[in-house]
Amino acid sequence: MGIIVKQSLSNLIISYAGIALGFILTILLYPHILSPDEYGLTRVLFSASFISTQFAHLGFQNLVIRYFPVFKRAAPQNHGFLFWALTIPVIGFLIFAGVYFAADSTIIAYYAEQSPLFVDYYLWVLPLTLFILYFEILNNYLRSLRDSVTGSFAMEIIQRLITISLLGVYFFGWITFHLFIMLFVLSYMINPLIVAIQIARKGEWKLRPNMKLMRRPLLKGMANYGLFSMLGGLTTVIVWNVDILMLGSLAGLDQTAIYAIAFYMASVIAIPQRSINKIVSPLLADFIKNKEWDEVGSIYTKSSLNQLIPGIFIFGLIWINLDVVYQMMPDFYAAGRWVVFIVGIGKIIEMITGANGLILINSKHYRVSFYTNLILIAVTIGANYIMIPLYGIEGAALASVLAILVYNGTKYTWVLVKMGLQPFTKKTVVVTVLGTAALSITQLFTFFDYYLTEAVVNSLIFVTLFGGPVIYFSISEDLNIMLKNLVDKWRR
């Protein structure tokens, strides 16, 4: 886990710097500069493009991680894998674009009543999909080269700084909203360019294909894996994004804006998960390829614990300070309070199951995603259609958590039954009990006159009651090492 600890530290620093920028962007700027409808439009555009990307890459996003080691071993100097990583998604994007244009009238009819503003800008989904598509493909290629930091820096830091700048320019009236949306979409082109430059700096920008490696058994395996991994990856993306799209059509862009900000605050909980998974994925691909199952089991267990601890820690601090955060925004957005709680619980459920999805997608059992995806997608969409009209934004949150619970439960059971691996230990129970007890105790201190005073006191109590025992008893050696490294860097 040495490389995981080292790169996770860099990713965590970048991620939490990104959180600071995201806080400025999402809490302090968006609600005060854009109207709820305008902000809701940016979220619907992004969610639609992110889901579309999962179709357009034709499974190559995950295939890069899985098959890069195969090509690298077969021809270390001239495998030409990057050529296929760049060209195959073009085909997928063109197919998607054709379908999108063909569905023109359906899209307009779907959003015309509740979200007419989206109808004016729905074609911008196409270029945004293209930019996100190639960022994901190139970033996974770079991750296979053991660099998970550059892509994080581009998306978490550079992208947010650009968006903050665009909001500032729009606030001062130097550009129209139409031009703001155009520049907002085009700004996502910077991310794949940054990653491409880093690949070239590593001397890996090699575009000549090695046709000798492209034999029928390999092509057949890649095609099967690409199909099933595309369907598998699509599930998670749909579960966490279809609610935005459906709220836009069923409840309007203003409700989508409330939900999006609440969802953003809850999604901060998953930052450690994303940081760890970026490094774990290529390592698991190697270990599974070499059938080093002890290493796979070790990563599975540690990933669960190392995600659960910071997940509970961040969830607790967010919930304790939520009233203070909402006081920084127009009162309109405070309606998302329980969305934060519901989605936060869903994120913790996802984190506690560890790297089960990565294990499946990199093993011979990757097809399992296909057999559960159609049912799961139907459950997600069906639950949203039922719950959004009944409970509004809280209904969308409940539908997403229900779907993610079913999905992760299925993956956990499959890995346990078919591979004999499971991530939970006694430490999992200890951490869960500690976190629940610490957060419950803070709810007793509600007699302060000011929200800020109450939040500060309760935050200190929670950190002491939860963080203290976790660090003192070294419940996670990896996290203790990471904290020590962070302190050492700070002292320098």
Side-chain angles (χ1 to χ4, degrees):
M1 293 285 284
I3 188 173
I4 298 176
V5 172
K6 184 178 179 180
Q7 290 204 26
S8 288
L9 178 60
S10 298
N11 274 299
L12 278 174
I13 293 172
I14 291 171
S15 295
Y16 286 112
I19 288 175
L21 292 174
F23 180 85
I24 294 171
L25 184 63
T26 307
I27 306 301
L28 302 181
L29 297 183
Y30 270 133
H32 296 281
I33 295 176
L34 300 184
S35 70
D37 278 359
E38 291 171 342
Y39 176 59
L41 172 65
T42 66
R43 297 308 91 197
V44 171
L45 283 174
F46 185 83
S47 291
S49 300
F50 199 61
I51 290 177
S52 302
T53 298
Q54 307 309 306
F55 290 102
H57 65 60
L58 297 180
F60 230 91
Q61 178 179 336
N62 292 318
L63 194 145
V64 169
I65 296 289
R66 172 72 181 272
Y67 277 90
F68 179 83
V70 177
F71 278 76
K72 189 72 173 177
R73 288 193 192 97
Q77 300 303 320
N78 62 337
H79 52 77
F81 188 53
L82 184 59
F83 172 83
W84 304 110
L86 293 175
T87 54
I88 298 299
V90 170
I91 300 172
F93 177 76
L94 292 175
I95 294 172
F96 162 72
V99 173
Y100 196 74
F101 278 120
D104 178 280
S105 58
T106 302
I107 295 171
I108 291 175
Y110 190 67
Y111 284 94
E113 182 177 349
Q114 293 289 345
S115 303
L117 187 61
F118 178 73
V119 175
D120 296 334
Y121 293 96
Y122 77 97
L123 287 177
W124 285 102
V125 167
L126 290 173
L128 187 54
T129 296
L130 182 64
F131 301 147
I132 295 174
L133 168 67
Y134 273 99
F135 171 72
E136 296 290 344
I137 293 290
L138 290 172
N139 191 39
N140 275 6
Y141 190 88
L142 188 58
R143 286 167 57 195
S144 296
L145 298 172
R146 299 294 190 267
D147 181 352
S148 64
V149 175
T150 301
S152 296
F153 184 77
M155 183 59 77
E156 302 286 345
I157 306 297
I158 301 299
Q159 183 63 55
R160 285 182 170 139
L161 286 174
I162 292 173
T163 306
I164 288 172
S165 300
L166 290 176
L167 282 170
V169 171
Y170 176 65
F171 174 75
F172 287 108
W174 296 338
I175 59 175
T176 63
F177 180 71
H178 178 79
L179 185 55
F180 169 81
I181 290 295
M182 183 180 73
L183 294 175
F184 171 79
V185 171
L186 292 177
S187 70
Y188 279 84
M189 181 172 56
I190 301 297
N191 299 320
L193 288 176
I194 291 173
V195 176
I197 291 170
Q198 181 66 2
I199 292 173
R201 289 181 61 189
K202 288 179 172 289
E204 293 287 341
W205 193 263
K206 301 172 183 178
L207 298 179
R208 179 178 296 177
N210 188 336
M211 303 304 295
K212 294 180 181 179
L213 299 179
M214 305 304 290
R215 297 176 180 177
R216 186 172 181 178
L218 178 62
L219 290 174
K220 183 178 179 181
M222 290 175 65
N224 286 334
Y225 181 82
L227 172 63
F228 287 107
S229 66
M230 177 181 70
L231 294 171
L234 186 62
T235 299
T236 302
V237 172
I238 285 180
V239 166
W240 290 115
N241 288 274
V242 76
D243 44 6
I244 295 287
L245 298 183
M246 296 182 70
L247 275 168
S249 68
L250 297 174
L253 292 177
D254 56 346
Q255 294 299 301
T256 304
I258 297 173
Y259 183 85
I261 287 180
F263 191 95
Y264 165 77
M265 287 190 279
S267 68
V268 172
I269 297 166
I271 292 292
Q273 179 189 33
R274 296 200 296 267
S275 299
I276 291 174
N277 284 351
K278 287 173 184 176
I279 305 107
V280 162
S281 184
L283 293 176
L284 282 173
D286 278 341
F287 290 140
I288 292 173
K289 181 70 179 178
N290 297 325
K291 298 183 179 180
E292 299 178 46
W293 296 109
D294 288 342
E295 294 291 343
V296 173
S298 175
I299 289 179
Y300 192 19
T301 300
K302 290 183 178 181
S303 68
S304 172
L305 184 63
N306 291 340
Q307 290 174 177
L308 177 63
I309 292 173
I312 291 177
F313 184 79
I314 298 168
F315 175 78
L317 290 178
I318 289 174
W319 185 247
I320 289 168
N321 292 275
L322 195 58
D323 289 329
V324 175
V325 174
Y326 273 126
Q327 285 190 339
M328 299 178 185
M329 292 181 282
D331 294 341
F332 175 77
Y333 289 95
R337 175 183 177 84
W338 286 105
V339 172
V340 177
F341 183 85
I342 295 167
V343 174
I345 295 297
K347 292 292 184 182
I348 290 177
I349 291 171
E350 189 174 25
M351 295 171 77
I352 199 174
T353 54
N356 54 16
L358 295 176
I359 292 173
L360 284 174
I361 206 69
N362 286 294
S363 72
K364 66 179 182 180
H365 300 285
Y366 62 84
R367 292 180 179 86
V368 69
S369 296
F370 174 74
Y371 302 114
T372 59
N373 279 348
L374 295 180
I375 296 175
L376 183 56
I377 291 172
V379 169
T380 304
I381 296 175
N384 273 285
Y385 262 119
I386 293 171
M387 292 186 178
I388 289 176
L390 289 175
Y391 305 111
I393 55 177
E394 288 89 356
L398 287 168
S400 294
V401 172
L402 173 64
I404 211 68
L405 179 62
V406 173
Y407 185 53
N408 279 277
T410 302
K411 291 188 293 183
Y412 165 80
T413 303
W414 194 275
V415 173
L416 176 63
V417 173
K418 296 295 183 179
M419 307 170 75
L421 300 173
Q422 68 93 20
F424 305 132
T425 66
K426 293 179 181 179
K427 292 181 178 180
T428 306
V429 178
V430 171
V431 170
T432 304
V433 171
L434 269 176
T436 303
L439 188 57
S440 299
I441 290 172
T442 63
Q443 303 306 298
L444 301 176
F445 295 85
T446 58
F447 45 77
F448 295 96
D449 293 331
Y450 300 102
Y451 282 124
L452 184 58
T453 304
E454 181 178 309
V456 170
V457 171
N458 284 343
S459 295
L460 291 174
I461 293 172
F462 178 74
V463 169
T464 302
L465 294 180
F466 178 65
V470 167
I471 295 172
Y472 182 79
F473 293 106
S474 192
I475 292 178
S476 169
E477 295 179 5
D478 293 316
L479 288 179
N480 273 36
I481 292 172
M482 187 181 297
L483 288 172
K484 183 179 182 300
N485 291 339
L486 187 61
V487 170
D488 290 342
K489 282 190 175 184
W490 181 265
R491 288 176 177 174
R492 293 173 191 169

